[in-house]
């Protein structure tokens, strides 16, 4: 069996708020939520097989570093969708501004930054 990415965990300001826009934009569901390490809170949002673990410590601190210049940094999260135009409409409705649109073989893509400074790449293949 080939290995499959099961989840990724990253820190956000408000896991419930981040999960809410992910429900609306990507159609994902909350799989689990509850108390987490160091007095924090976590929400697992995604599908039955893969998810993002959204963790907030008791006192989150913003980072001013560019992740593209930091070894081990999270550069972006790629999300595959069926209807890229409808997804872009939902991204805008959630208050995010799409950028860096491109058509390429074999599909189309755009990016947006969420309110945590996390960049998402949205991709649809032809």
């Amino acid at each position: 069996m080939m290995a499959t990415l099961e989840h990724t965990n990253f820190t956000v300001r408000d896991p419930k708020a981040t999960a809410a826009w992910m429900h609306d934009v990507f159609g994902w569901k909350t799989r689990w939520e509850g108390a987490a390490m160091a007095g924090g809170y976590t929400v697992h949002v995604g599908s039955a097989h893969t998810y993002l673990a959204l963790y907030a410590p008791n006192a989150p601190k913003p980072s001013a570093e560019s992740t593209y210049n930091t070894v081990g940094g999270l550069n972006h999260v790629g999300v595959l969708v069926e209807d890229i135009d409808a997804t872009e409409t939902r991204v805008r409705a959630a208050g995010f501004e799409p950028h860096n649109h491109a058509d390429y073989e074999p599909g189309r893509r755009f990016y947006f930054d969420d309110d945590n400074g996390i960049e998402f790449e949205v991709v649809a293949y032809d």
Side-chain angles (χ1 to χ4, degrees), residues 33-94:
E33 65 180 282
M37 61 183 244
Y41 197 82
T42 298
V43 176
H44 293 179
V45 62
S47 72
H49 303 288
T50 64
Y51 65 95
L52 298 179
L54 309 172
Y55 168 72
N58 195 23
K61 297 176 182 112
S63 172
E65 295 179 7
S66 168
T67 58
Y68 282 92
N69 297 321
T70 305
V71 173
L74 172 68
N75 296 324
H76 65 260
V77 177
V79 179
L80 178 64
V81 300
E82 288 186 21
D83 187 336
I84 198 165
D85 296 319
T87 303
E88 183 171 357
T89 297
R90 291 191 300 272
V91 166
R92 288 182 187 280

Side-chain angles (χ1 to χ4, degrees), residues 8 11 16 23 34 63 65 71 93 95 99-100:
T8 299
T11 300
K16 289 182 180 185
H23 294 166
S63 172
E65 295 179 7
V71 173
H99 59 87
N100 199 18

